[in-house]
Amino acid sequence: MLPCRVNFLSACDPAPSAGALLSTISRGPFMATTLTGPVRVRFPPSPTGFLHVGGARTAITNDLLRHSLGGSLILRIEDTDRQRSDPAMTAQIQSALAWLGIEPDEGPFLQSARVDEHRAAAQKLLDEGKAYHCFRTAEEIDEKRQDAHKRGVTSFYRAAFPPPPADEVERRVAAGESYAVRFRMPMGDMTFSDLVRGEVTFVEDVLDDFIILRSDGSPTYHLSVVCDDIYGGVTHVIRGEDHISNVPKHIGLFQALGAEVPTFGHLPMIMGPGRKRLSKRTGAASVEEFRDQGILPQALYNYLALLGWSPGDDREVMSRQEMIDAFTVERLVPSAAAFDYDKLRWMNAQYLSGEPLAEVLDHLAPFLAEVGLADADRDRLGAAVDLHRTRAYNLKELAAYAVPYFIDTLEYDPDLCKKFFKQPDLPAQVDQLIEGFRTVETFDIEGVEAVIRNLATDLDVKAGVLIHPTRMALSASKAGPSLFDLVAAMGREASVRHLGNFVRYLRDNPPPQEEAATT
RNA sequence: GCCCUCAUCGUCUAGCCAGGUUAGGACACCAGCCUUUCAAGCUGGCGACACGGGUUCGAAUCCCGUUGAGGGUACCA
């Protein structure tokens, strides 16, 4: 066995032909790697559902790599599984990527558009003896597998079924028998350098011949991917860890097809809370869900980028450009991370209060529409949003905060108003306040503050006696921004109106009966 | 079963490759400050090297094993 083992690195990569594209990779977890661009990377989702956060993270990593080294990102839709593919999902995925700010340089290309080329590649392999006809039925193979499994061993096709001799092939094909095409996996161990895991070896004993063309003539995933990666000139394949065991198959195919083998990097899976599989049950799992929840794309991008990568210093909230500048593959983390909704929420709050107001307003639009504020005055809206952005964790909350500024009448919660009912003088005091607001010359922060403070002095009460009911009147809430800011942003008309409604509410609702006699 | 991979606070991570740190930061949580309220902000607290063996004067760091977790094991992708 020993003599026939082949080390892929030494045996199959004779001359660094691609110059700048060639990378020296040797990463035990900590060995240095030098990657140089330009690179050609790809993101190949299957159009079978919404863009999952795992996929988004893969896309982001590819995006960061291509921007940090220069090069291009190819979007390829892997729609070879016609059963499960849905064209609507292609558009969906594209829009999710666009929303995240990831713009492919090329594509989308449909994998299905090139099946003829894929078939031709299979034929070429067949002609060169690198693949062979497989007349075995699935049942037959499965039986062998089951049997082996029972005995506690693994069944390998190439050990169990020798390829049929040429004359037999000719005869059976002529007879119209259906067959699949199976790739003849080269003998020897397969070792490759993974950008995030370092050297990974699959020993010869676990390698097997695999189908590249189904008996209906359709190419399988492995063939299609490799053909398209060759066609696209892909230099770096960065994808999820679930593909790592496909690498030997793919390397075998790249070599058999006479192509240069790209550099691989396998990102760990993203786990849900409690290390469970991330799914709708554990919380949102797709990009559109987060979008609909009011997460800013910058925040999601930033959060996802940091899930499995760090810049090496203590920076966390980083602009796209900062991430690009700091990005290196050697800082990719090999261990799987659990998605932390709390941290994303915090990150989103950071962006909500830190991004330019206009940017926030743009993203807020759909949420404003949801609460009936589709055509609210942008200036007043801006003032309101600016006051509440440090208090909101998502755009939904932020939109809700804007409602009192535009709605005619507010609903007051008797529970929250309890203490105001106990102030018999309050309605009259608020009446005076209304008068003050009506007549104050300039209705701005200083103006309203003066009105409130002067009135408090006149009434010989603390400012808080007026401030708290006013907050309740204008926002139907006990908490919120500085009251003077709130009133000023609300404007004279709305402030006076809400105050008027509030006095009426106070007068119309008798104070709640005494505490239950049980005390 | 077999194969591949991973393993530092509850979570994300820095430190590991080139052994010597009070093992650093962030989220969450708790407390204080600020304050007209609520946030934000600031300050402090809580809290980890999975386990067992080696190697070494010295191990989170190097080696071996165990355990745990994830992925793969298709004429799915």
Side-chain angles (χ1 to χ4, degrees):
Chain A
M1 172 101 63
L2 212 57
C4 65
R5 289 202 167 166
V6 173
N7 181 312
F8 159 67
L9 283 179
S10 49
C12 316
D13 203 10
S17 47
L21 291 184
L22 235 278
S23 42
T24 353
I25 320 109
S26 65
R27 184 203 221 247
F30 309 107
M31 281 174 263
T33 73
T34 17
L35 276 193
T36 46
V39 297
R40 285 180 67 79
V41 296
R42 33 61 136 201
F43 179 61
S46 304
T48 54
F50 292 117
L51 182 58
H52 191 268
V53 290
R57 206 274 308 270
T58 301
I60 287 169
T61 306
N62 276 289
D63 187 48
L64 253 14
L65 180 66
R66 73 82 129 77
H67 276 130
S68 65
L69 293 179
S72 16
L73 171 66
I74 303 164
L75 176 59
R76 187 172 68 218
I77 305 298
E78 313 247 298
D79 61 343
T80 45
D81 184 355
R82 303 311 270 272
Q83 239 63 55
R84 296 194 296 152
S85 294
D86 176 358
M89 284 305 160
T90 299
Q92 191 64 239
I93 288 167
Q94 279 190 83
S95 89
L97 287 173
W99 179 76
L100 272 174
I102 299 174
E103 288 167 16
D105 300 286
E106 295 169 35
F109 300 114
L110 294 185
Q111 189 154 69
S112 57
R114 285 181 28 87
V115 295
D116 288 345
E117 281 82 352
H118 303 162
R119 278 200 199 102
Q123 186 54 243
K124 180 176 172 248
L125 260 16
L126 226 31
D127 294 344
E128 295 173 356
K130 293 170 179 167
Y132 57 91
H133 296 74
C134 170
F135 294 97
R136 308 284 172 175
T137 63
E139 294 73 37
E140 196 178 351
I141 299 166
D142 203 46
E143 197 179 308
K144 200 91 177 174
R145 227 192 313 261
Q146 300 287 333
D147 189 56
H149 190 76
K150 255 178 255 163
R151 289 182 289 124
V153 297
T154 309
S155 157
F156 291 95
Y157 185 92
R158 70 179 175 190
F161 306 104
D167 54 334
E168 182 188 333
V169 170
E170 207 171 313
R171 179 170 47 80
R172 298 179 73 166
V173 170
E177 273 190 59
S178 77
Y179 61 88
V181 175
R182 202 170 275 271
F183 179 66
R184 197 191 294 270
M185 192 66 185
M187 300 308 278
D189 293 355
M190 195 70 94
T191 296
F192 71 100
S193 264
D194 189 276
L195 285 179
V196 350
R197 276 148 230 288
E199 205 165 90
V200 179
T201 299
F202 288 85
V203 294
E204 179 182 76
D205 312 353
V206 304
L207 269 19
D208 200 5
D209 296 348
F210 58 96
I211 304 248
I212 53 177
L213 221 52
R214 302 186 188 91
S215 44
D216 67 358
S218 64
T220 61
Y221 164 76
H222 303 297
L223 212 218
S224 300
V225 165
V226 170
C227 283
D228 287 350
D229 282 347
I230 293 171
Y231 177 71
V234 170
T235 59
H236 296 75
V237 173
I238 311 297
R239 60 209 331 181
E241 194 191 2
D242 48 339
H243 281 106
I244 199 163
S245 49
N246 291 330
V247 171
K249 294 187 176 87
H250 296 177
I251 288 178
L253 247 16
F254 274 110
Q255 293 178 312
L257 259 9
E260 191 172 329
V261 180
T263 300
F264 294 97
H266 291 84
L267 308 173
M269 306 273 86
I270 295 178
M271 315 301 297
R275 305 247 133 214
K276 300 221 169 60
R277 207 191 161 85
L278 191 60
S279 70
K280 280 116 239 156
R281 297 173 67 95
T282 55
S286 72
V287 170
E288 23 279 299
E289 281 175 281
F290 287 109
R291 187 233 281 137
D292 294 346
Q293 284 178 6
I295 299 294
L296 247 16
Q298 298 92 318
L300 187 59
Y301 188 108
N302 194 161
Y303 175 75
L304 252 17
L306 252 31
L307 209 54
W309 174 78
S310 85
D313 51 38
D314 288 339
R315 285 179 295 167
E316 295 211 299
V317 179
M318 301 172 74
S319 70
R320 181 82 48 113
Q321 193 55 49
E322 287 175 312
M323 289 187 263
I324 290 168
D325 293 342
F327 188 83
T328 62
V329 291
E330 36 280 308
R331 300 212 59 89
L332 252 12
V333 177
S335 58
F339 198 97
D340 184 351
Y341 292 91
D342 276 335
K343 188 143 187 181
L344 172 61
R345 183 177 134 89
W346 167 80
M347 180 83 64
N348 199 46
Q350 294 291 309
Y351 276 88
L352 244 19
S353 30
E355 286 288 275
L357 184 59
E359 177 77 17
V360 174
L361 251 22
D362 287 345
H363 288 290
L364 191 60
F367 298 91
L368 290 171
E370 268 177 31
V371 292
L373 300 185
D375 33 44
D377 176 78
R378 181 123 171 155
D379 285 343
R380 279 191 73 212
L381 191 61
V385 165
D386 210 19
L387 282 184
H388 291 272
R389 59 205 298 218
T390 59
R391 269 156 265 262
Y393 283 93
N394 55 249
L395 292 164
K396 248 189 173 135
E397 290 175 13
L398 193 50
Y401 282 134
V403 169
Y405 294 80
F406 298 94
I407 202 170
D408 284 342
T409 54
L410 290 169
E411 292 272 330
Y412 299 108
D413 179 344
D415 270 353
L416 297 182
C417 294
K418 244 189 226 146
K419 80 171 193 190
F420 303 130
F421 290 130
K422 292 178 186 155
Q423 297 172 235
D425 299 335
L426 191 55
Q429 293 168 339
V430 174
D431 277 338
Q432 289 191 58
L433 186 60
I434 292 173
E435 197 44 35
F437 280 174
R438 251 199 202 113
T439 53
V440 65
E441 226 162 288
T442 49
F443 199 87
D444 57 9
I445 297 173
E446 293 74 26
V448 303
E449 173 160 12
V451 170
I452 290 173
R453 294 213 185 274
N454 292 341
L455 179 58
T457 307
D458 292 350
L459 295 170
D460 194 26
V461 295
K462 281 193 274 186
V465 171
L466 296 175
I467 285 173
H468 298 301
T470 304
R471 181 191 310 288
M472 179 57 66
L474 304 208
S475 64
S477 164
K478 291 171 75 169
S482 160
L483 195 263
F484 312 124
D485 291 350
L486 172 71
V487 178
M490 185 72 65
R492 193 195 303 262
E493 190 276 327
S495 297
V496 166
R497 174 161 37 80
H498 281 145
L499 245 12
N501 289 151
F502 189 60
V503 182
R504 217 162 301 130
Y505 169 78
L506 251 26
R507 290 201 166 112
D508 291 352
N509 292 277
Q513 42 295 63
E514 310 308 304
E515 295 290 305
T518 52
T519 41

